[in-house]
Amino acid sequence: MTKTKKQLGQFFTEPVIAEFMAKLAITEKTQTLLDPAAGMGILIEKANDISQNIKIECFEIDKKMIGKYKKNIKFNTIINNEDYLYSENKLYDSIICNPPYNKFQEIKGKKDLIELFEKKYDIRLSGYTNYYIYFLIKSLNEMSKNGKCIYIIPYEFMNAKYGEIVKKYFIKSHKLEKIIKFNSQIKLFDDAVTTSCIICFNNKYNEYVDFINVDSLEDFDDICVNKYDNVGINRYLYSELNFKEKWLKYFKNQKKIYKNLICLKDYAKVKRGIATGNNNFFNLNLDMIKKFKLSKDVCIPCVTKAADIKKMIITKNYFDELLSKGKKMYVFDGRNKTTSGDNKYIEYGESLNVNKSYLNSHRFPWYGIEDKKPAPIWISVFSRNNLKIIRNELMIKNLTTFHGVYPLINDEESINIFYCYLLTPLAQKILRLNKRECGEGLDKFEPNDLNNAMILDLNIINQNDKNEILEIYETLKNKNLIEIEKLEFIFSKYV
Ligand SMILES: C[S@@+](CC[C@H](N)C(=O)[O-])C[C@H]1O[C@@H](n2cnc3c(N)ncnc32)[C@H](O)[C@@H]1O
């Protein structure tokens, strides 16, 4: 018995949507393209409009449909008249698909399919899973190194129970890049009313997923070049995604869309700290200074280890306290040597071959340290949970354990306000949109991650609020007590 149009899940993509999907899927690097469920070939036609140099392959199970395909598509493609789901796996640069939308009750040989997918793709799908998910899972395993995979599918899986395992699979892979959901007024198919979305994957390790609401066809061009000024977008870090949650809520505007943000580098420059080339030799505490009879001139006050710093503001008192606890709070700079003790220490370094390490042998003289100005604010390079942010009132130097933050406006008040802002959970959340994950919960920021991160434009804060922030700063300085909720409340008014 021949299968009906419905049994074959034959809903055809509107040309304008097909064109949009082709633009999302194809880059200058695309050499091969797959459509796993070709139908009459609209997606292939639009791909060919973009580039005629792509090797195109497709699958279509329905012989009759292949006849229509051949009437439409006059250029060279490879068409396989077989079931895509059981076909051999290959790699493609672009995969673009409007898969059949059969419900789970209509899937023949479902048990075998579930087993096959568990074996081949390491996912045990529930028996309630709709057909299109099988197509998608197979395609995700067929992306080449720089591959992209763009599917148009119903969005019910995001809220359905059977979708949990699918979302878990997406989260684990980090390959999901964005989901574009359409306003129900936009017609996606020739004769079907379905609630669909375009789901975009790439073969990279993505840090976040964009959930995008599209109200008008005019938004398409912007989205293709990742311009989101006119569309509703919610960006979720992978760590914020929960497969047990209903993802349709991620599209709603319950996530704060921040306003009044500027790039951090427009307000301050973040630079790496000083690298000594041999911390054992260069980092000094009082005992070492005494033992080697070093002059004051060669001992430069400097924080050498972020873990030593437990208070939030470096003052003279706190510096002395750390010194008295034996912490290494100086760095040796032999360029200022005056005494025989200083010279002997340099000779001692040479006897230990300190001058031979890569960094030191390329520095002249090897026993001098980099000329870097002290930074009024430091941000720790590594962090768990909250970023460690220190106000360096004493203006001592810092090694690479901290990055130095150099505000462009250099008056004390502005620096203290900026510092207070950086302490807030709000600021850290906004900064973290650029974070780099280094395994289990440990985040690493390179200076440029921070330079390119966003912050609130602090120029818009009114004088009353500024005064209040500065009072909070004084309390922090004098009592080591941070009124973080008060700060969060003040800054939140502006974003
Ligand atoms: C929703 S239509 C999409 C057609 C076309 N790509 C478009 O966008 O208009 C899905 C197509 O997949 C075909 N199809 C269904 N099951 C298939 C399978 N297991 N393998 C390959 N093609 C299949 C159907 O015959 C149908 O033409």
Side-chain angles (χ1 to χ4, degrees):
M1 208 176 72
T2 48
K3 287 188 175 177
T4 63
K5 183 173 153 81
K6 186 169 172 283
Q7 280 169 330
L8 288 165
Q10 290 172 340
F11 297 109
F12 302 107
T13 320
E14 279 288 311
V16 59
I17 304 288
E19 186 183 329
F20 176 49
M21 289 175 66
K23 281 188 186 162
L24 289 170
I26 293 171
T27 68
E28 318 84 78
K29 290 192 185 142
T30 307
Q31 293 181 354
T32 54
L33 179 139
L34 168 76
D35 180 345
M40 290 186 277
I42 183 75
L43 294 170
I44 285 171
E45 205 178 311
K46 295 297 175 191
N48 187 66
D49 286 348
I50 297 175
S51 167
Q52 292 74 50
N53 299 321
I54 300 174
K55 200 173 147 205
I56 297 177
E57 184 168 348
C58 62
F59 285 80
E60 174 53 60
I61 205 164
D62 181 13
K63 266 212 171 74
K64 264 202 231 145
M65 193 54 71
I66 289 195
K68 293 184 184 172
Y69 174 92
K70 285 190 172 154
K71 261 192 196 158
N72 264 351
I73 304 294
K74 298 290 181 214
F75 46 88
N76 249 351
T77 59
I78 301 168
I79 176 145
N80 303 292
N81 181 203
E82 57 178 290
D83 188 333
Y84 169 64
L85 296 180
Y86 291 95
S87 69
E88 198 185 305
N89 279 21
K90 275 170 78 175
L91 297 182
Y92 302 90
D93 299 332
S94 297
I95 302 173
I96 180 172
C97 188
N98 170 9
Y101 295 172
N102 306 61
K103 294 248 158 49
F104 69 92
Q105 299 93 332
E106 299 161 5
I107 303 177
K108 295 260 153 62
K110 193 164 62 185
K111 250 179 134 188
D112 292 347
L113 211 50
I114 291 175
E115 251 141 55
L116 175 75
F117 270 60
E118 184 169 17
K119 216 160 96 197
K120 265 182 121 171
Y121 308 119
D122 199 22
I123 178 168
R124 175 106 197 149
L125 291 166
S126 129
Y128 294 103
T129 310
N130 282 1
Y131 208 31
Y132 64 87
I133 294 290
Y134 292 88
F135 275 68
L136 181 55
I137 298 286
K138 179 166 175 2
S139 292
L140 292 183
N141 288 279
E142 296 190 315
M143 284 190 280
S144 67
K145 190 161 165 268
N146 295 311
K148 280 179 163 256
C149 175
I150 312 293
Y151 263 61
I152 185 162
I153 54 175
Y155 52 64
E156 110 267 299
F157 83 94
M158 287 192 261
N159 275 16
K161 184 80 186 146
Y162 80 79
E164 287 185 3
I165 189 87
V166 180
K167 289 181 279 183
K168 194 175 177 191
Y169 192 75
F170 294 165
I171 295 173
K172 195 172 159 210
S173 78
H174 273 255
K175 289 179 183 168
L176 175 58
E177 190 190 349
K178 57 186 167 221
I179 308 180
I180 303 162
K181 184 170 151 288
F182 296 95
N183 170 327
S184 54
Q185 306 299 311
I186 300 179
K187 191 169 184 284
L188 304 171
F189 305 105
D190 62 344
D191 61 354
V193 184
T194 43
T195 46
S196 290
C197 61
I198 292 178
I199 186 161
C200 306
F201 297 83
N202 58 32
N203 207 357
K204 293 186 188 144
Y205 189 87
N206 294 286
E207 307 246 340
Y208 49 78
V209 178
D210 285 337
F211 294 84
I212 302 170
N213 293 292
V214 172
D215 286 327
S216 149
L217 298 179
E218 284 158 21
D219 297 334
F220 284 179
D221 286 341
D222 281 355
I223 295 172
C224 286
V225 291
N226 293 335
K227 214 173 131 214
Y228 300 125
D229 305 344
N230 299 318
V231 294
I233 166 175
N234 288 334
R235 181 162 287 183
Y236 278 76
L237 295 170
Y238 263 84
S239 53
E240 294 178 293
L241 298 176
N242 180 347
F243 68 91
K244 289 211 170 277
E245 277 177 352
K246 296 187 165 154
W247 280 14
L248 281 184
K249 78 171 187 201
Y250 292 170
F251 290 90
K252 299 211 176 110
N253 273 356
Q254 43 160 233
K255 216 187 169 198
K256 180 109 180 126
I257 309 258
Y258 298 109
K259 56 182 193 295
N260 295 325
L261 297 190
I262 56 169
C263 207
L264 189 144
K265 64 172 176 259
D266 294 331
Y267 199 79
K269 290 276 175 286
V270 179
K271 295 181 189 168
R272 222 177 273 289
I274 297 167
T276 65
N278 188 320
N279 285 343
N280 281 340
F281 175 81
F282 283 97
N283 301 356
L284 303 166
N285 61 16
L286 283 182
D287 286 349
M288 292 163 78
I289 294 171
K290 231 193 216 163
K291 180 175 163 198
F292 291 101
K293 298 197 177 70
L294 299 177
S295 70
K296 258 189 163 176
D297 305 319
V298 292
C299 300
I300 313 296
C302 180
V303 64
T304 59
K305 218 168 148 194
D308 289 345
I309 310 298
K310 306 283 186 225
K311 291 188 183 170
M312 305 177 76
I313 303 179
I314 305 280
T315 56
K316 176 82 176 76
N317 282 348
Y318 187 45
F319 180 82
D320 291 343
E321 184 186 323
L322 289 166
L323 265 186
S324 68
K325 284 185 177 156
K327 303 292 178 200
K328 295 183 173 178
M329 297 301 292
Y330 291 99
V331 65
F332 180 79
D333 189 349
R335 288 175 303 176
N336 309 331
K337 63 189 160 82
T338 46
T339 62
S340 65
D342 300 342
N343 280 318
K344 276 197 187 131
Y345 194 61
I346 293 170
E347 282 164 24
Y348 169 66
E350 285 166 0
S351 76
L352 297 174
N353 286 334
V354 174
N355 53 331
K356 303 260 169 68
S357 74
Y358 180 81
L359 185 69
N360 296 344
S361 63
H362 286 77
R363 196 170 53 207
F364 184 79
W366 70 265
Y367 47 76
I369 55 152
E370 266 175 282
D371 273 323
K372 266 195 179 148
K373 280 197 192 136
I377 297 172
W378 300 327
I379 299 185
S380 58
V381 176
F382 289 100
S383 65
R384 281 188 196 278
N385 309 319
N386 283 341
L387 283 173
K388 190 167 184 175
I389 301 183
I390 306 293
R391 173 75 174 94
N392 174 22
E393 271 205 358
L394 196 56
M395 289 303 271
I396 61 173
K397 300 209 180 211
N398 62 289
L399 297 191
T400 49
T401 186
F402 283 111
H403 293 319
V405 183
Y406 299 83
L408 305 181
I409 307 168
N410 213 2
D411 66 86
E412 287 286 302
E413 285 198 353
S414 308
I415 293 172
N416 292 343
I417 289 170
F418 184 32
Y419 172 68
C420 285
Y421 167 72
L422 290 173
L423 292 178
T424 60
L426 171 77
Q428 303 222 356
K429 195 163 188 187
I430 296 172
L431 279 179
R432 261 166 210 284
L433 295 174
N434 274 35
K435 82 170 175 186
R436 195 175 282 238
E437 280 177 25
C438 286
E440 286 296 294
L442 190 64
D443 297 340
K444 184 178 184 192
F445 280 95
E446 297 294 345
N448 272 342
D449 295 333
L450 290 162
N451 280 320
N452 295 321
M454 305 303 284
I455 58 161
L456 167 66
D457 180 357
L458 299 171
N459 297 314
I460 63 170
I461 293 177
N462 70 36
Q463 197 53 48
N464 276 349
D465 284 337
K466 280 186 182 168
N467 295 343
E468 206 177 325
I469 295 165
L470 292 169
E471 269 175 37
I472 295 173
Y473 179 80
E474 285 307 311
T475 313
L476 171 60
K477 186 173 161 185
N478 299 328
K479 301 194 187 146
N480 198 30
L481 177 78
I482 169 122
E483 296 171 301
I484 204 80
E485 279 97 15
K486 278 193 190 167
L487 286 176
E488 179 87 353
F489 177 76
I490 299 172
F491 290 113
S492 299
K493 290 193 290 193
Y494 294 93
V495 294

